[in-house]
Amino acid sequence: MSAESVKAAANASGSNVLFEVKGLCKDFGNGLVLDHIDTTINQGEVVVIIGPSGSGKSTFLRSLNLLEEPTGGHIFFEGTDITDKHLNIDTYRQKIGMVFQHFNLFPHMTILRNMTLGPIKLLGIPEEEAVALAKGYLERVGLLDKADAYPSQLSGGQKQRIAIVRALCMNPEVMLFDEPTSALDPEMVGEVLEVMRDLAKGGMTMLIVTHEMGFAKEVAGRVLFIDEGKILEDDTPEEIFQNPKSERLQSFLAKIL
Amino acid sequence: MDGFVASFQNNFIDDSRYLYLVQGLGMTLLITFFAAILGILLGFLVAIIRSTYEKTGKMKFANSICVLYLTVIRGTPAMVQLLIMYYVIFASANIGKPLVAILSFGINSGAYVAEIVRSGIMSIDSGQLEAGRSLGFSYAQTMWYVIMPQAFKNVLPALANEFIVLLKETSICGYIGLMDLTRGGDIIRSRTYEAFMPLIAVALIYLVLVVFLSSLVRKLERRLRASER
Protein backbone atom coordinates (compact mmCIF):
# COMPACT_ATOMS: atom_id res chain seq x y z
CA MET A 1 0.00 0.00 0.00
CA SER A 2 1.41 3.39 -0.92
CA ALA A 3 1.82 6.17 1.58
CA GLU A 4 -1.00 8.05 -0.11
CA SER A 5 -3.50 5.24 0.25
CA VAL A 6 -2.51 4.69 3.87
CA LYS A 7 -3.29 8.31 4.50
CA ALA A 8 -6.56 8.06 2.59
CA ALA A 9 -7.52 5.02 4.64
CA ALA A 10 -6.69 6.84 7.84
CA ASN A 11 -8.84 9.76 6.80
CA ALA A 12 -11.72 7.51 5.84
CA SER A 13 -11.71 5.96 9.28
CA GLY A 14 -12.23 9.42 10.75
CA SER A 15 -8.71 9.89 12.13
CA ASN A 16 -7.49 13.10 10.54
CA VAL A 17 -5.27 14.43 13.28
CA LEU A 18 -2.24 16.15 11.77
CA PHE A 19 -0.42 17.47 14.81
CA GLU A 20 -0.75 16.20 18.31
CA VAL A 21 1.22 18.30 20.80
CA LYS A 22 1.74 16.88 24.27
CA GLY A 23 3.35 18.75 27.14
CA LEU A 24 5.50 20.85 24.81
CA CYS A 25 8.08 22.93 26.68
CA LYS A 26 10.77 25.30 25.48
CA ASP A 27 13.34 26.88 27.72
CA PHE A 28 15.95 29.22 26.24
CA GLY A 29 17.79 29.18 29.54
CA ASN A 30 15.85 31.88 31.38
CA GLY A 31 12.50 30.36 32.20
CA LEU A 32 9.87 28.50 30.19
CA VAL A 33 8.86 30.21 26.96
CA LEU A 34 6.47 27.36 26.25
CA ASP A 35 4.92 25.88 29.36
CA HIS A 36 3.47 22.40 28.79
CA ILE A 37 1.41 23.08 25.70
CA ASP A 38 -1.18 20.48 24.73
CA THR A 39 -3.22 20.77 21.58
CA THR A 40 -4.36 18.94 18.48
CA ILE A 41 -4.47 20.26 14.94
CA ASN A 42 -6.70 18.45 12.46
CA GLN A 43 -6.29 18.21 8.75
CA GLY A 44 -7.93 21.08 6.86
CA GLU A 45 -8.12 23.34 9.90
CA VAL A 46 -7.19 27.00 9.72
CA VAL A 47 -5.87 27.97 13.14
CA VAL A 48 -4.91 31.51 14.00
CA ILE A 49 -2.62 32.04 16.96
CA ILE A 50 -2.80 35.36 18.77
CA GLY A 51 -1.18 36.75 21.87
CA PRO A 52 0.97 39.59 23.17
CA SER A 53 4.55 39.84 21.92
CA GLY A 54 6.89 37.61 23.85
CA SER A 55 4.04 35.27 24.72
CA GLY A 56 5.66 32.32 22.94
CA LYS A 57 3.31 32.13 19.94
CA SER A 58 6.11 32.32 17.37
CA THR A 59 8.21 29.86 19.37
CA PHE A 60 5.25 27.48 19.39
CA LEU A 61 4.84 27.74 15.63
CA ARG A 62 8.56 27.31 15.02
CA SER A 63 8.63 24.26 17.30
CA LEU A 64 6.20 22.50 14.97
CA ASN A 65 8.91 22.18 12.31
CA LEU A 66 11.69 22.02 14.86
CA LEU A 67 13.28 25.36 13.99
CA GLU A 68 13.12 25.58 17.76
CA GLU A 69 14.06 22.33 19.41
CA PRO A 70 11.63 21.53 22.23
CA THR A 71 13.22 21.05 25.64
CA GLY A 72 10.35 18.88 26.81
CA GLY A 73 7.22 17.10 25.63
CA HIS A 74 6.35 15.51 22.32
CA ILE A 75 4.99 16.56 18.95
CA PHE A 76 3.33 13.89 16.84
CA PHE A 77 2.89 14.52 13.13
CA GLU A 78 0.56 11.98 11.54
CA GLY A 79 1.31 9.68 14.46
CA THR A 80 5.11 9.96 14.27
CA ASP A 81 6.96 11.52 17.17
CA ILE A 82 9.07 14.18 15.49
CA THR A 83 10.90 15.04 18.70
CA ASP A 84 12.52 11.59 18.43
CA LYS A 85 16.24 12.27 17.93
CA HIS A 86 16.57 9.39 15.45
CA LEU A 87 14.02 10.81 13.04
CA ASN A 88 15.26 12.35 9.80
CA ILE A 89 14.03 15.89 10.32
CA ASP A 90 14.67 16.89 6.71
CA THR A 91 12.16 14.55 5.07
CA TYR A 92 9.62 15.55 7.68
CA ARG A 93 10.18 19.26 7.08
CA GLN A 94 9.53 18.78 3.35
CA LYS A 95 5.89 18.20 4.27
CA ILE A 96 5.60 21.43 6.19
CA GLY A 97 5.63 24.77 4.43
CA MET A 98 6.89 27.75 6.37
CA VAL A 99 6.43 31.44 5.66
CA PHE A 100 8.52 33.94 7.61
CA GLN A 101 7.99 37.51 8.65
CA HIS A 102 11.02 38.61 6.64
CA PHE A 103 10.28 36.44 3.57
CA ASN A 104 13.77 34.88 3.52
CA LEU A 105 13.89 34.48 -0.24
CA PHE A 106 17.30 33.47 -1.55
CA PRO A 107 18.70 36.75 -2.96
CA HIS A 108 21.25 35.10 -5.25
CA MET A 109 18.65 33.13 -7.20
CA THR A 110 15.90 34.14 -9.59
CA ILE A 111 12.31 33.80 -8.42
CA LEU A 112 11.91 30.69 -10.54
CA ARG A 113 15.07 29.15 -9.06
CA ASN A 114 13.89 30.01 -5.56
CA MET A 115 10.75 28.02 -6.27
CA THR A 116 12.22 25.05 -8.14
CA LEU A 117 15.36 24.36 -6.09
CA GLY A 118 13.53 22.33 -3.44
CA PRO A 119 11.33 20.30 -5.81
CA ILE A 120 14.30 19.47 -8.07
CA LYS A 121 16.92 18.71 -5.42
CA LEU A 122 14.73 17.23 -2.69
CA LEU A 123 11.73 15.70 -4.41
CA GLY A 124 13.59 14.64 -7.54
CA ILE A 125 11.09 16.29 -9.85
CA PRO A 126 12.49 16.80 -13.39
CA GLU A 127 13.41 20.40 -14.09
CA GLU A 128 10.78 21.05 -16.81
CA GLU A 129 8.08 19.72 -14.55
CA ALA A 130 9.24 21.81 -11.59
CA VAL A 131 9.34 24.91 -13.78
CA ALA A 132 5.84 24.24 -15.07
CA LEU A 133 4.61 23.76 -11.51
CA ALA A 134 6.28 26.97 -10.33
CA LYS A 135 4.90 28.96 -13.26
CA GLY A 136 1.43 27.67 -12.50
CA TYR A 137 1.70 29.03 -8.97
CA LEU A 138 3.21 32.30 -10.20
CA GLU A 139 0.24 32.76 -12.46
CA ARG A 140 -2.13 32.08 -9.59
CA VAL A 141 -0.60 34.89 -7.53
CA GLY A 142 -0.27 37.19 -10.56
CA LEU A 143 3.53 37.29 -10.64
CA LEU A 144 4.32 35.24 -13.72
CA ASP A 145 6.18 38.20 -15.23
CA LYS A 146 8.61 38.10 -12.26
CA ALA A 147 9.83 34.54 -12.93
CA ASP A 148 13.28 35.65 -14.03
CA ALA A 149 13.59 38.59 -11.64
CA TYR A 150 15.70 38.57 -8.49
CA PRO A 151 14.14 39.10 -5.05
CA SER A 152 15.74 42.55 -4.72
CA GLN A 153 13.60 43.74 -7.64
CA LEU A 154 10.34 42.93 -5.85
CA SER A 155 8.20 44.85 -3.36
CA GLY A 156 7.61 43.42 0.11
CA GLY A 157 4.15 42.18 -0.78
CA GLN A 158 5.44 40.51 -3.91
CA LYS A 159 8.27 38.88 -1.97
CA GLN A 160 5.87 37.43 0.56
CA ARG A 161 3.57 36.08 -2.15
CA ILE A 162 6.62 34.41 -3.71
CA ALA A 163 7.64 33.02 -0.31
CA ILE A 164 4.19 31.46 0.02
CA VAL A 165 4.23 29.82 -3.41
CA ARG A 166 7.84 28.73 -2.92
CA ALA A 167 6.65 26.73 0.07
CA LEU A 168 3.65 25.44 -1.90
CA CYS A 169 5.93 24.08 -4.64
CA MET A 170 7.08 21.45 -2.15
CA ASN A 171 3.47 20.26 -2.01
CA PRO A 172 3.29 20.50 1.79
CA GLU A 173 0.54 19.03 3.94
CA VAL A 174 0.39 22.03 6.22
CA MET A 175 1.50 25.65 6.02
CA LEU A 176 2.91 27.60 8.94
CA PHE A 177 2.81 31.41 8.78
CA ASP A 178 4.96 33.36 11.24
CA GLU A 179 3.59 36.92 11.22
CA PRO A 180 3.52 36.99 7.41
CA THR A 181 2.30 40.58 7.12
CA SER A 182 4.14 42.24 10.04
CA ALA A 183 7.07 43.47 7.95
CA LEU A 184 4.91 44.85 5.14
CA ASP A 185 3.83 48.36 4.33
CA PRO A 186 0.11 48.68 5.08
CA GLU A 187 -0.90 48.89 1.42
CA MET A 188 0.73 45.53 0.72
CA VAL A 189 -0.93 43.55 3.48
CA GLY A 190 -4.07 42.96 1.44
CA GLU A 191 -2.41 41.19 -1.47
CA VAL A 192 -0.71 38.71 0.86
CA LEU A 193 -3.85 38.03 2.87
CA GLU A 194 -5.68 37.48 -0.40
CA VAL A 195 -3.31 34.64 -1.31
CA MET A 196 -3.70 33.14 2.16
CA ARG A 197 -7.48 33.40 1.94
CA ASP A 198 -7.45 31.48 -1.35
CA LEU A 199 -5.23 28.86 0.19
CA ALA A 200 -7.62 28.42 3.13
CA LYS A 201 -10.56 28.10 0.77
CA GLY A 202 -8.67 25.39 -1.08
CA GLY A 203 -8.63 23.30 2.08
CA MET A 204 -4.99 23.73 3.10
CA THR A 205 -4.23 23.12 6.76
CA MET A 206 -2.84 26.39 8.07
CA LEU A 207 -1.41 27.69 11.32
CA ILE A 208 -1.04 31.45 11.33
CA VAL A 209 0.58 33.71 13.88
CA THR A 210 -0.75 37.17 13.10
CA HIS A 211 -1.87 40.50 14.43
CA GLU A 212 -4.47 40.88 11.66
CA MET A 213 -7.57 40.38 13.77
CA GLY A 214 -9.98 41.09 10.92
CA PHE A 215 -8.34 38.35 8.91
CA ALA A 216 -8.47 36.01 11.91
CA LYS A 217 -12.20 36.57 12.34
CA GLU A 218 -12.85 36.00 8.68
CA VAL A 219 -10.65 33.01 7.87
CA ALA A 220 -9.92 31.14 11.11
CA GLY A 221 -11.87 28.07 12.06
CA ARG A 222 -10.23 28.22 15.44
CA VAL A 223 -8.24 30.77 17.41
CA LEU A 224 -5.62 30.01 20.04
CA PHE A 225 -4.77 32.73 22.54
CA ILE A 226 -1.31 32.18 23.96
CA ASP A 227 0.09 34.11 26.89
CA GLU A 228 3.20 33.43 28.98
CA GLY A 229 3.80 30.16 27.19
CA LYS A 230 0.36 28.69 27.80
CA ILE A 231 -2.72 28.31 25.62
CA LEU A 232 -5.21 30.29 27.69
CA GLU A 233 -8.13 30.08 25.27
CA ASP A 234 -8.86 27.80 22.36
CA ASP A 235 -12.15 28.49 20.67
CA THR A 236 -14.01 29.67 17.58
CA PRO A 237 -13.23 33.22 16.48
CA GLU A 238 -16.77 34.28 17.47
CA GLU A 239 -16.26 33.16 21.06
CA ILE A 240 -12.72 34.54 21.26
CA PHE A 241 -13.58 38.00 19.97
CA GLN A 242 -17.15 38.46 21.25
CA ASN A 243 -17.01 36.49 24.44
CA PRO A 244 -13.45 36.39 25.80
CA LYS A 245 -13.38 34.49 29.08
CA SER A 246 -9.99 35.14 30.63
CA GLU A 247 -9.06 38.54 31.90
CA ARG A 248 -5.80 38.43 29.95
CA LEU A 249 -7.56 37.93 26.64
CA GLN A 250 -10.00 40.71 27.47
CA SER A 251 -7.22 43.16 28.19
CA PHE A 252 -5.23 41.97 25.13
CA LEU A 253 -8.23 42.54 22.86
CA ALA A 254 -8.96 45.88 24.47
CA LYS A 255 -5.44 47.00 23.65
CA ILE A 256 -5.34 45.98 20.01
CA LEU A 257 -8.92 46.42 18.76
CA MET B 1 70.87 57.77 -21.09
CA ASP B 2 73.97 55.88 -22.14
CA GLY B 3 74.57 55.02 -18.52
CA PHE B 4 71.05 53.59 -18.24
CA VAL B 5 71.46 51.43 -21.33
CA ALA B 6 74.85 50.20 -20.16
CA SER B 7 73.46 49.37 -16.74
CA PHE B 8 70.50 47.55 -18.31
CA GLN B 9 72.92 45.59 -20.52
CA ASN B 10 75.10 44.74 -17.54
CA ASN B 11 72.30 43.64 -15.24
CA PHE B 12 69.95 41.79 -17.57
CA ILE B 13 71.57 40.95 -20.90
CA ASP B 14 75.16 39.96 -20.08
CA ASP B 15 75.45 36.31 -19.14
CA SER B 16 71.68 36.11 -19.76
CA ARG B 17 71.12 37.46 -16.25
CA TYR B 18 67.45 38.19 -17.04
CA LEU B 19 66.97 34.44 -16.64
CA TYR B 20 67.32 34.87 -12.86
CA LEU B 21 64.23 37.05 -12.95
CA VAL B 22 62.31 34.78 -15.34
CA GLN B 23 63.05 31.63 -13.37
CA GLY B 24 62.49 33.43 -10.09
CA LEU B 25 59.13 34.72 -11.28
CA GLY B 26 58.19 31.18 -12.30
CA MET B 27 59.01 29.93 -8.80
CA THR B 28 57.10 32.78 -7.15
CA LEU B 29 54.01 32.07 -9.26
CA LEU B 30 54.26 28.32 -8.69
CA ILE B 31 54.48 28.67 -4.93
CA THR B 32 51.75 31.32 -4.78
CA PHE B 33 49.39 29.30 -6.96
CA PHE B 34 49.62 26.02 -5.07
CA ALA B 35 49.79 27.71 -1.65
CA ALA B 36 46.61 29.60 -2.57
CA ILE B 37 44.84 26.35 -3.49
CA LEU B 38 45.96 24.74 -0.24
CA GLY B 39 44.94 27.88 1.64
CA ILE B 40 41.46 27.85 0.10
CA LEU B 41 40.91 24.18 0.91
CA LEU B 42 42.15 24.54 4.48
CA GLY B 43 40.46 27.88 4.99
CA PHE B 44 37.03 26.77 3.82
CA LEU B 45 37.26 23.58 5.86
CA VAL B 46 38.17 25.47 9.02
CA ALA B 47 35.58 28.18 8.34
CA ILE B 48 32.80 25.62 7.89
CA ILE B 49 33.77 23.76 11.06
CA ARG B 50 33.98 27.01 13.03
CA SER B 51 30.68 28.43 11.81
CA THR B 52 28.90 25.09 12.21
CA TYR B 53 30.05 25.07 15.81
CA GLU B 54 28.92 28.65 16.30
CA LYS B 55 25.52 28.06 14.72
CA THR B 56 24.66 24.58 16.00
CA GLY B 57 27.08 23.73 18.82
CA LYS B 58 28.19 20.62 16.95
CA MET B 59 31.82 19.65 16.14
CA LYS B 60 33.12 20.94 19.43
CA PHE B 61 36.39 18.99 19.31
CA ALA B 62 37.16 19.86 15.68
CA ASN B 63 36.41 23.49 16.49
CA SER B 64 38.95 23.60 19.32
CA ILE B 65 41.62 22.16 17.01
CA CYS B 66 40.77 24.87 14.49
CA VAL B 67 41.03 27.57 17.15
CA LEU B 68 44.46 26.27 18.14
CA TYR B 69 45.55 26.29 14.49
CA LEU B 70 44.33 29.86 13.97
CA THR B 71 45.96 31.08 17.15
CA VAL B 72 49.37 29.59 16.42
CA ILE B 73 49.49 30.51 12.74
CA ARG B 74 48.21 34.04 13.11
CA GLY B 75 50.27 34.60 16.23
CA THR B 76 53.67 33.89 14.70
CA PRO B 77 55.47 35.47 11.73
CA ALA B 78 55.19 33.67 8.38
CA MET B 79 58.96 33.72 8.07
CA VAL B 80 59.46 31.89 11.38
CA GLN B 81 56.89 29.32 10.25
CA LEU B 82 58.78 28.84 7.01
CA LEU B 83 62.08 28.36 8.81
CA ILE B 84 60.57 25.90 11.29
CA MET B 85 58.93 24.02 8.45
CA TYR B 86 62.24 23.72 6.61
CA TYR B 87 64.80 23.32 9.39
CA VAL B 88 62.69 21.46 11.97
CA ILE B 89 59.66 19.64 10.58
CA PHE B 90 61.11 18.59 7.25
CA ALA B 91 64.78 18.71 8.34
CA SER B 92 65.38 15.04 7.69
CA ALA B 93 62.69 14.45 5.07
CA ASN B 94 63.88 15.16 1.57
CA ILE B 95 60.73 16.54 -0.03
CA GLY B 96 62.14 19.49 -1.94
CA LYS B 97 62.22 23.15 -1.08
CA PRO B 98 59.31 24.27 -3.30
CA LEU B 99 57.00 21.76 -1.60
CA VAL B 100 58.13 22.94 1.85
CA ALA B 101 57.37 26.52 0.81
CA ILE B 102 53.98 25.59 -0.64
CA LEU B 103 53.00 23.75 2.54
CA SER B 104 54.23 26.53 4.77
CA PHE B 105 52.53 29.36 2.87
CA GLY B 106 49.39 27.28 2.27
CA ILE B 107 48.99 26.52 5.97
CA ASN B 108 49.68 30.16 6.78
CA SER B 109 47.24 31.51 4.22
CA GLY B 110 44.56 28.98 5.25
CA ALA B 111 44.32 30.63 8.66
CA TYR B 112 43.57 34.03 7.16
CA VAL B 113 41.21 32.60 4.53
CA ALA B 114 39.36 30.75 7.32
CA GLU B 115 38.64 33.93 9.24
CA ILE B 116 37.59 35.78 6.09
CA VAL B 117 35.22 33.01 5.00
CA ARG B 118 33.87 32.53 8.51
CA SER B 119 32.99 36.20 8.76
CA GLY B 120 31.27 35.84 5.37
CA ILE B 121 29.23 32.88 6.55
CA MET B 122 28.29 34.59 9.82
CA SER B 123 27.23 37.73 7.95
CA ILE B 124 24.45 35.86 6.13
CA ASP B 125 21.11 36.45 7.84
CA SER B 126 20.05 33.48 9.97
CA GLY B 127 16.71 33.56 8.16
CA GLN B 128 18.47 32.14 5.10
CA LEU B 129 19.51 29.03 7.00
CA GLU B 130 16.03 28.72 8.48
CA ALA B 131 14.39 29.08 5.07
CA GLY B 132 16.63 26.38 3.60
CA ARG B 133 16.07 24.02 6.52
CA SER B 134 12.32 24.60 6.54
CA LEU B 135 12.12 23.60 2.88
CA GLY B 136 13.68 20.30 3.91
CA PHE B 137 17.31 20.85 2.96
CA SER B 138 19.88 19.35 5.31
CA TYR B 139 22.38 21.63 7.04
CA ALA B 140 25.05 20.67 4.48
CA GLN B 141 22.72 21.23 1.51
CA THR B 142 21.62 24.60 2.86
CA MET B 143 25.25 25.59 3.27
CA TRP B 144 26.02 24.49 -0.29
CA TYR B 145 23.04 25.95 -2.15
CA VAL B 146 22.11 28.93 -0.02
CA ILE B 147 24.76 30.15 2.43
CA MET B 148 28.09 29.57 0.70
CA PRO B 149 27.26 31.21 -2.66
CA GLN B 150 26.19 34.37 -0.83
CA ALA B 151 29.07 34.26 1.64
CA PHE B 152 31.58 33.68 -1.13
CA LYS B 153 30.36 36.67 -3.06
CA ASN B 154 30.55 38.85 0.04
CA VAL B 155 34.11 37.87 0.89
CA LEU B 156 35.53 37.73 -2.63
CA PRO B 157 37.31 41.09 -2.42
CA ALA B 158 38.86 40.24 0.96
CA LEU B 159 39.82 36.80 -0.32
CA ALA B 160 41.48 38.19 -3.41
CA ASN B 161 43.31 40.67 -1.25
CA GLU B 162 44.61 37.82 0.88
CA PHE B 163 46.09 36.14 -2.21
CA ILE B 164 47.72 39.37 -3.29
CA VAL B 165 49.27 39.55 0.17
CA LEU B 166 50.34 35.92 -0.24
CA LEU B 167 52.04 36.66 -3.56
CA LYS B 168 54.11 39.37 -1.91
CA GLU B 169 54.75 37.30 1.20
CA THR B 170 56.43 34.51 -0.78
CA SER B 171 59.34 36.94 -1.23
CA ILE B 172 60.80 35.54 1.99
CA CYS B 173 61.39 32.07 0.58
CA GLY B 174 64.96 33.01 -0.31
CA TYR B 175 65.64 32.31 3.36
CA ILE B 176 65.37 28.57 2.77
CA GLY B 177 67.52 28.89 -0.36
CA LEU B 178 64.73 28.95 -2.92
CA MET B 179 65.29 31.19 -5.91
CA ASP B 180 62.08 33.12 -6.23
CA LEU B 181 61.68 36.50 -7.92
CA THR B 182 63.14 38.47 -5.00
CA ARG B 183 66.12 36.18 -4.60
CA GLY B 184 66.66 36.23 -8.39
CA GLY B 185 66.98 40.00 -8.33
CA ASP B 186 69.25 39.80 -5.33
CA ILE B 187 71.53 37.33 -7.11
CA ILE B 188 71.90 39.77 -10.02
CA ARG B 189 72.75 42.52 -7.52
CA SER B 190 75.47 40.36 -5.95
CA ARG B 191 76.95 39.66 -9.39
CA THR B 192 76.89 43.19 -10.82
CA TYR B 193 77.26 45.17 -7.57
CA GLU B 194 74.43 47.36 -8.82
CA ALA B 195 71.36 47.55 -6.58
CA PHE B 196 69.11 50.00 -8.40
CA MET B 197 68.37 48.20 -11.64
CA PRO B 198 67.68 44.63 -10.44
CA LEU B 199 65.72 45.62 -7.34
CA ILE B 200 63.56 48.18 -9.14
CA ALA B 201 62.90 45.55 -11.82
CA VAL B 202 61.78 43.07 -9.16
CA ALA B 203 59.52 45.68 -7.57
CA LEU B 204 57.99 46.56 -10.96
CA ILE B 205 57.22 42.92 -11.72
CA TYR B 206 55.44 42.49 -8.37
CA LEU B 207 53.55 45.72 -8.97
CA VAL B 208 52.38 44.69 -12.43
CA LEU B 209 51.22 41.33 -11.09
CA VAL B 210 49.29 42.90 -8.22
CA VAL B 211 47.65 45.53 -10.41
CA PHE B 212 46.69 42.85 -12.93
CA LEU B 213 45.21 40.55 -10.25
CA SER B 214 43.31 43.45 -8.68
CA SER B 215 41.72 44.35 -12.01
CA LEU B 216 40.64 40.73 -12.49
CA VAL B 217 38.94 40.78 -9.11
CA ARG B 218 37.13 44.01 -9.90
CA LYS B 219 35.85 42.50 -13.12
CA LEU B 220 34.64 39.39 -11.30
CA GLU B 221 32.94 41.49 -8.64
CA ARG B 222 31.10 43.49 -11.28
CA ARG B 223 29.89 40.32 -12.94
CA LEU B 224 28.69 38.87 -9.63
CA ARG B 225 26.83 42.06 -8.84
CA ALA B 226 25.24 42.13 -12.28
CA SER B 227 23.73 38.70 -11.68
CA GLU B 228 21.69 40.11 -8.83
CA ARG B 229 20.22 43.16 -10.49
Side-chain angles (χ1 to χ4, degrees):
Chain A
M1 217 193 302
S2 76
E4 292 300 315
S5 53
V6 169
K7 211 184 290 167
N11 288 343
S13 67
S15 139
N16 58 353
V17 174
L18 204 58
F19 280 113
E20 194 171 3
V21 180
K22 284 184 176 168
L24 178 67
C25 293
K26 176 70 184 180
D27 188 344
F28 285 108
N30 42 9
L32 285 177
V33 178
L34 297 179
D35 189 357
H36 297 87
I37 293 213
D38 295 295
T39 191
T40 301
I41 310 289
N42 293 320
Q43 221 159 51
E45 266 193 303
V46 176
V47 180
V48 167
I49 302 164
I50 61 172
S53 59
S55 59
K57 54 192 194 304
S58 272
T59 307
F60 170 64
L61 192 76
R62 289 159 55 82
S63 299
L64 293 179
N65 71 350
L66 300 178
L67 283 182
E68 302 293 352
E69 227 172 284
T71 42
H74 296 274
I75 302 168
F76 295 91
F77 179 74
E78 295 176 332
T80 312
D81 186 355
I82 60 162
T83 53
D84 181 352
K85 295 273 181 275
H86 302 291
L87 187 91
N88 182 350
I89 297 174
D90 302 325
T91 41
Y92 156 72
R93 280 190 180 128
Q94 291 171 13
K95 300 178 193 166
I96 300 179
M98 177 99 186
V99 175
F100 300 88
Q101 182 178 353
H102 295 288
F103 331 127
N104 295 347
L105 296 178
F106 305 136
H108 60 303
M109 298 177 190
T110 62
I111 297 309
L112 203 58
R113 187 70 181 154
N114 262 279
M115 296 173 68
T116 57
L117 186 72
I120 292 171
K121 302 290 180 193
L122 296 172
L123 304 180
I125 294 175
E127 180 155 357
E128 315 84 72
E129 224 172 283
V131 167
L133 176 78
K135 286 192 168 168
Y137 277 119
L138 283 175
E139 194 156 23
R140 254 173 68 181
V141 296
L143 292 171
L144 190 54
D145 58 323
K146 302 292 184 193
D148 296 316
Y150 283 85
S152 60
Q153 297 164 309
L154 270 55
S155 72
Q158 291 172 332
K159 280 183 200 169
Q160 196 59 300
R161 283 187 278 162
I162 296 297
I164 293 172
V165 290
R166 175 176 71 175
L168 288 176
C169 280
M170 290 296 288
N171 196 22
E173 293 175 32
V174 52
M175 288 283 284
L176 311 178
F177 295 84
D178 190 2
E179 304 200 18
T181 57
S182 299
L184 297 175
D185 291 337
E187 76 268 26
M188 291 173 181
V189 170
E191 61 192 68
V192 171
L193 294 182
E194 187 59 43
V195 172
M196 292 169 65
R197 202 173 284 126
D198 280 350
L199 205 52
K201 272 184 209 148
M204 175 62 78
T205 313
M206 295 162 77
L207 279 90
I208 308 162
V209 171
T210 187
H211 296 290
E212 296 290 332
M213 295 302 151
F215 179 75
K217 278 182 207 167
E218 179 198 350
V219 174
R222 207 174 131 199
V223 176
L224 304 181
F225 172 65
I226 295 187
D227 193 18
E228 295 186 344
K230 291 191 178 84
I231 298 180
L232 290 189
E233 297 204 24
D234 175 355
D235 220 323
T236 61
E238 293 75 26
E239 280 297 305
I240 291 277
F241 292 111
Q242 263 113 58
N243 192 14
K245 287 169 193 71
S246 63
E247 207 177 301
R248 284 183 190 280
L249 178 53
Q250 285 164 8
S251 73
F252 173 70
L253 291 175
K255 262 180 238 160
I256 59 159
L257 290 180
Chain B
M1 192 64 203
D2 282 349
F4 183 86
V5 172
S7 174
F8 188 90
Q9 172 88 19
N10 183 31
N11 279 296
F12 302 126
I13 310 298
D14 293 349
D15 295 340
S16 298
R17 291 201 177 106
Y18 71 92
L19 282 177
Y20 288 116
L21 294 184
V22 173
Q23 286 165 4
L25 176 62
M27 182 58 74
T28 292
L29 292 178
L30 178 95
I31 290 170
T32 306
F33 180 74
F34 287 104
I37 288 176
L38 181 59
I40 288 177
L41 293 177
L42 260 177
F44 272 78
L45 182 70
V46 171
I48 286 169
I49 290 171
R50 296 258 292 133
S51 51
T52 299
Y53 172 73
E54 274 172 53
K55 279 176 197 259
T56 68
K58 288 175 187 160
M59 311 182 96
K60 194 163 183 226
F61 181 69
N63 179 63
S64 39
I65 290 181
C66 292
V67 171
L68 181 71
Y69 160 71
L70 295 176
T71 309
V72 170
I73 296 299
R74 297 197 306 159
T76 54
M79 183 156 134
V80 176
Q81 291 163 21
L82 179 69
L83 292 175
I84 289 175
M85 192 68 100
Y86 183 65
Y87 289 109
V88 180
I89 296 173
F90 290 113
S92 51
N94 194 8
I95 64 164
K97 288 172 184 175
L99 191 53
V100 172
I102 287 168
L103 283 174
S104 186
F105 287 115
I107 290 169
N108 179 274
S109 182
Y112 295 93
V113 171
E115 287 304 89
I116 292 169
V117 174
R118 187 179 69 94
S119 77
I121 293 173
M122 298 312 283
S123 74
I124 305 298
D125 182 71
S126 61
Q128 292 287 309
L129 181 64
E130 290 185 348
R133 295 308 302 272
S134 75
L135 282 170
F137 286 104
S138 67
Y139 180 82
Q141 285 173 318
T142 309
M143 283 303 261
W144 180 254
Y145 292 120
V146 178
I147 309 293
M148 291 311 283
Q150 296 181 58
F152 184 68
K153 187 155 50 169
N154 289 354
V155 302
L156 199 63
L159 216 48
N161 206 38
E162 161 57 24
F163 294 129
I164 288 169
V165 169
L166 175 66
L167 172 77
K168 291 181 286 180
E169 201 151 67
T170 59
S171 66
I172 58 175
C173 57
Y175 280 90
I176 61 167
L178 262 176
M179 201 197 71
D180 71 324
L181 179 58
T182 305
R183 176 48 72 92
D186 206 40
I187 291 173
I188 297 176
R189 184 188 58 78
S190 68
R191 299 277 149 87
T192 60
Y193 300 109
E194 276 185 62
F196 179 84
M197 197 60 95
L199 294 184
I200 294 297
V202 165
L204 276 176
I205 295 171
Y206 278 115
L207 186 64
V208 167
L209 280 175
V210 169
V211 169
F212 172 69
L213 288 175
S214 304
S215 76
L216 277 188
V217 173
R218 267 197 304 277
K219 221 174 261 176
L220 187 60
E221 265 187 281
R222 258 204 304 277
R223 194 170 300 170
L224 283 170
R225 251 204 311 275
S227 75
E228 224 172 79
R229 296 292 154 232

